[in-house]
Amino acid sequence: MARGKRAFQRSKKKAVKHHRKRNAPAKAKPWPMPAEPAPVPTPLTHIDQRGEARMVDVSEKGATERIAIAEGRVLMRKETLDIVLEGNAMKGDVLGAARLAGIMAAKRTHGLIPLCHPLPLTKVEIDINPEHSLPGFLVQSTVKVTAKTGVEMEALTAVSIACLTIYDMVKAVERGIRIEGIRLLHKSGGKSGEWNAGG
């Protein structure tokens, strides 16, 4: 009788174990990790395939002579233009200060525009001519270098700062002076060759 009782208990334990196993909650499957997005090609040389800013590696490029020309306009009243041309501005030589500022700005472009390369510029020329039809001044910069990358940003920076300097020198006379039309006119050299603005 004791043997039968032990057999019954073993059978009962086995049945309980089987019941628990059948009714146990299913083990949770691990949540799948999202797939890393595939790199997207971009035509912007300062943006890598992950969309992050970078300085372009120019080590494999050949050094060639490169020239860039940019322009901008400073528009003002006729009376203000006359004051500048007569040399009667309160701060002194307006156009001389603007030329020097443009040259200095071209040399320091890499410190202002984060991803520009420092370049050994061989020429920076700033031309400022009165335009009575505006009225105001036409400002033009020419920048030259023999290097592995171009000087478009140096030319544009030079024009921008020269125009701003004209404003600063005569703002006491007219605060409504406008700076307009800053653009690249010409570039040459490098793999892409020559380019000229239309119009």
Side-chain angles (χ1 to χ4, degrees):
M1 186 171 178
R3 186 181 299 171
K5 187 175 181 181
R6 284 195 298 272
F8 174 74
Q9 289 175 342
R10 282 197 301 270
S11 176
K12 185 177 179 181
K13 286 181 181 179
K14 189 174 181 181
V16 169
K17 186 177 180 181
H18 179 69
H19 176 75
R20 286 176 179 172
K21 188 175 181 180
R22 284 185 60 189
N23 291 280
K27 189 177 288 187
K29 294 182 179 180
W31 191 263
M33 294 292 291
E36 191 171 332
V40 179
T42 171
L44 301 175
T45 56
H46 284 297
I47 304 295
D48 66 17
Q49 292 185 336
R50 299 186 185 281
E52 297 173 354
R54 64 167 187 174
M55 178 180 272
V56 177
D57 183 358
V58 297
S59 57
E60 299 300 319
K61 292 185 176 183
T64 62
E65 182 179 88
R66 299 165 185 264
I67 298 173
I69 301 172
E71 73 169 8
R73 292 176 171 82
V74 184
L75 280 62
M76 59 189 67
R77 296 195 308 259
K78 179 184 180 301
E79 295 79 9
T80 307
L81 177 60
D82 291 340
I83 289 172
V84 175
L85 295 178
E86 291 165 6
N88 294 327
M90 293 176 61
K91 289 192 175 183
D93 183 4
V94 174
L95 304 186
R99 289 189 189 97
L100 285 176
I103 292 169
M104 291 174 65
K107 293 161 63 176
R108 297 181 181 182
T109 299
H110 69 279
L112 300 170
I113 311 296
L115 301 178
C116 283
H117 295 79
L119 295 173
L121 304 181
T122 55
K123 176 184 178 180
V124 181
E125 186 173 291
I126 308 293
D127 292 316
I128 305 175
N129 295 301
E131 292 284 341
H132 293 278
S133 60
L134 294 175
F137 290 95
L138 176 64
V139 182
Q140 190 172 97
S141 69
T142 302
V143 182
K144 184 177 178 181
V145 72
T146 298
K148 297 183 177 185
T149 189
V151 283
E152 294 95 321
M153 294 310 302
E154 284 72 11
L156 288 164
T157 300
V159 159
S160 301
I161 297 302
C163 289
L164 285 170
T165 301
I166 293 174
Y167 180 92
D168 178 60
M169 295 289 285
V170 297
K171 67 180 184 293
V173 177
E174 182 186 349
R175 296 190 183 275
I177 290 171
R178 301 196 310 275
I179 296 171
E180 297 181 355
I182 294 176
R183 62 171 182 158
L184 183 70
L185 293 177
H186 167 85
K187 63 82 59 180
S188 62
K191 185 178 179 181
S192 61
E194 184 171 329
W195 178 90
N196 293 290

